[in-house]
Amino acid sequence: MERRDEDYPTLFERCNFWAVVRDEHDELIGFGYVCGMRLEHGYMEDIIVHPSYRKKGIGGQIVEALLQEARVIGLEVVTVTYDPTHESFYRRSGFLPGGGGVWRASI
């Protein structure tokens, strides 16, 4: 899937909250956010870490920061959809795979 940088301004308007990690030069190296309808359910998406910084715990720190904020604002359920190759990462972060959902593109 190609990058869609032009979507980020709208994304920031619509997401509940986000977390970022920057390097010592203030360059963005990690990002993630939770969106939803601001009720008791949120959807975590786009946990992204720059390739040069992967496997150093940054993704886990982003997820934990997002889950902590979810607790603070009272989200009871946080879900995430992920590529199966990332299942162990999300399991380590406390997510449990489950069935029961399907999705389709709106186009």
Side-chain angles (χ1 to χ4, degrees), residues 19-65:
V20 299
V21 175
R22 295 183 177 276
D23 70 6
E24 65 276 2
H25 305 291
D26 204 34
E27 296 290 324
L28 182 67
I29 60 172
F31 173 79
Y33 67 92
V34 172
C35 60
M37 299 302 294
R38 300 183 194 265
L39 298 171
E40 64 264 345
H41 179 256
Y43 181 77
M44 186 181 298
E45 193 166 341
D46 287 346
I47 306 304
I48 301 168
V49 176
H50 187 281
S52 298
Y53 292 88
R54 291 183 184 155
K55 305 290 186 191
K56 297 180 181 195
I58 294 170
Q61 291 173 357
I62 292 170
V63 169
E64 184 52 41

Side-chain angles (χ1 to χ4, degrees), residues 1-106:
M1 185 171 241
E2 67 184 66
R3 291 176 54 117
R4 294 174 34 183
D5 294 340
E6 67 278 0
D7 290 348
Y8 281 97
T10 302
L11 167 70
F12 286 126
E13 291 173 11
R14 295 183 181 174
C15 69
N16 291 12
F17 48 89
W18 58 89
V20 299
V21 175
R22 295 183 177 276
D23 70 6
E24 65 276 2
H25 305 291
D26 204 34
E27 296 290 324
L28 182 67
I29 60 172
F31 173 79
Y33 67 92
V34 172
C35 60
M37 299 302 294
R38 300 183 194 265
L39 298 171
E40 64 264 345
H41 179 256
Y43 181 77
M44 186 181 298
E45 193 166 341
D46 287 346
I47 306 304
I48 301 168
V49 176
H50 187 281
S52 298
Y53 292 88
R54 291 183 184 155
K55 305 290 186 191
K56 297 180 181 195
I58 294 170
Q61 291 173 357
I62 292 170
V63 169
E64 184 52 41
L66 293 171
L67 293 175
Q68 176 61 33
E69 184 63 19
R71 286 187 285 276
V72 167
I73 68 168
L75 293 180
E76 295 179 20
V77 177
V78 176
T79 60
V80 63
T81 302
Y82 55 86
D83 183 286
T85 60
H86 302 297
E87 182 174 333
S88 64
F89 167 78
Y90 286 103
R91 280 184 177 272
R92 285 192 310 274
S93 298
F95 288 87
L96 299 174
V102 297
W103 66 278
R104 73 182 234 7
S106 60

